[in-house]
Amino acid sequence: MITGIIIAAALVGGVGLFIGLFLGVAGKKFAVEVDEREIKVREELPGNNCGGCGFPGCDGLAAAIAKGEAPVNACPVGGAAAAAKIAAIMGQEAGENIRMTAFVKCAGDCEKAGKSYDYTGVKDCKMAALMQNGGEKACSYGCLGYGSCVKACGFDAIHIVNGIAVVDKEKCKACGKCVAECPKHLIELIPYQQKQAVACSSKEKGKAVMSACEIGCIGCRKCVKECPSEAITVVDNVAQIDYEKCTNCGKCKETCPRHIIL
């Protein structure tokens, strides 16, 4: 019986040794070579895996940068600091890195915007947007204020204040998740240094806007006439600023009778 146990133990040990050797050889033979630069680039990325770069997480971006399929400054979270380090690894120039921030194109809070009815359903913007008139607000283009964008933000940079979403510029990393989450398409990424922006998205004509919101854009074009750099146009009854042309002179803000330009 003892002999049988020894034979069994030897057999199991031999099989284990064979499998170990086989896996070791197979591992070396079929190993996927990883670009050393990819590893170094990944070490410089913040690891938030937010997807703001357009790739599946930081690993995906690191691989793309190493292959030359993405720019060295593609990470919105890491910003200029990460871009400079990655550029050094890749032997490239970092280039200009403009810091961006999210901006909510609605200022119709609980005091300024009217309501068409009381919504008692699931407190979620996407659900509320499916209701009559696109939600309870009298303005069908306005922020619903149920915080779908807040839940999407991984940086605690956006909150609901008095019924509308408000962005904390200092915390925002411009990952774009809130932009994608908003069913009203009210959030856009603008330059961090931008001082003037139009906090309205309503495409209704003046009379309809005034009946729904105390502060909505009525498309009067006064801002267009006053802008010295021709950076403002009115499209679909709402003012829009070309941030590349805008000099932040503030004349549009001073001129706006509805105080919708922040």
Side-chain angles (χ1 to χ4, degrees):
M1 182 169 178
I2 296 176
T3 305
I5 293 174
I6 295 173
I7 293 173
L11 183 61
V12 171
V15 171
L17 179 62
F18 173 76
I19 292 174
L21 290 172
F22 175 77
L23 291 176
V25 173
K28 290 183 178 180
K29 183 174 181 61
F30 298 105
V32 178
E33 292 187 10
V34 178
D35 191 332
E36 184 179 349
R37 296 178 303 172
E38 179 182 333
I39 297 173
K40 292 182 178 179
V41 168
R42 178 62 185 85
E43 290 174 350
E44 300 302 336
L45 294 174
N48 296 92
N49 294 311
C50 63
C53 58
F55 291 89
C58 294
D59 289 344
L61 177 58
I65 292 175
K67 294 175 183 176
E69 297 173 355
V72 294
N73 60 358
C75 177
V77 179
K85 293 177 181 178
I86 294 171
I89 294 170
M90 297 299 296
Q92 302 176 15
E93 293 291 332
E96 185 179 10
N97 192 290
I98 300 175
R99 182 178 176 181
M100 305 292 282
T101 186
F103 174 73
V104 181
K105 298 181 289 182
C106 178
D109 59 26
C110 294
E111 277 76 42
K112 299 181 180 69
K115 291 172 63 177
S116 298
Y117 55 87
D118 290 323
Y119 172 70
T120 58
V122 178
K123 303 303 181 182
D124 176 81
C125 295
K126 289 184 176 180
M127 293 296 292
L130 297 174
M131 301 302 293
Q132 180 183 352
N133 197 44
E136 64 183 348
K137 274 194 172 179
C139 174
S140 60
Y141 296 91
C143 176
L144 294 167
Y146 291 119
S148 293
C149 54
V150 176
K151 298 171 187 175
C153 180
F155 304 96
D156 191 37
I158 188 166
H159 301 90
I160 302 300
V161 180
N162 199 19
I164 58 172
V166 177
V167 176
D168 183 336
K169 290 177 62 175
E170 302 308 318
K171 290 184 177 181
C172 180
K173 302 300 182 182
C175 69
K177 282 194 172 181
C178 58
V179 177
E181 191 69 17
C182 179
K184 296 286 187 175
H185 309 293
L186 286 173
I187 308 175
E188 67 177 349
L189 297 180
I190 68 173
Y192 174 85
Q193 299 295 339
Q194 183 66 31
K195 295 180 180 179
Q196 275 73 56
V198 181
C200 183
S201 296
S202 177
K203 297 180 181 180
E204 299 287 353
K205 293 184 178 180
K207 185 177 180 180
V209 171
M210 288 190 287
S211 66
C213 182
E214 294 179 7
I215 197 173
C217 178
I218 57 176
C220 66
R221 299 179 185 272
K222 288 186 177 181
C223 55
V224 177
K225 296 174 183 176
E226 289 296 322
C227 181
S229 56
E230 299 182 345
I232 307 180
T233 55
V234 172
V235 180
D236 292 332
N237 301 313
V238 62
Q240 297 184 8
I241 298 177
D242 183 334
Y243 300 120
E244 292 186 358
K245 291 183 179 179
C246 180
T247 61
N248 288 313
C249 69
K251 288 188 176 181
C252 57
K253 181 178 180 179
E254 296 171 2
T255 304
C256 180
R258 303 282 287 177
H259 307 293
I260 198 63
I261 301 179
L262 308 181

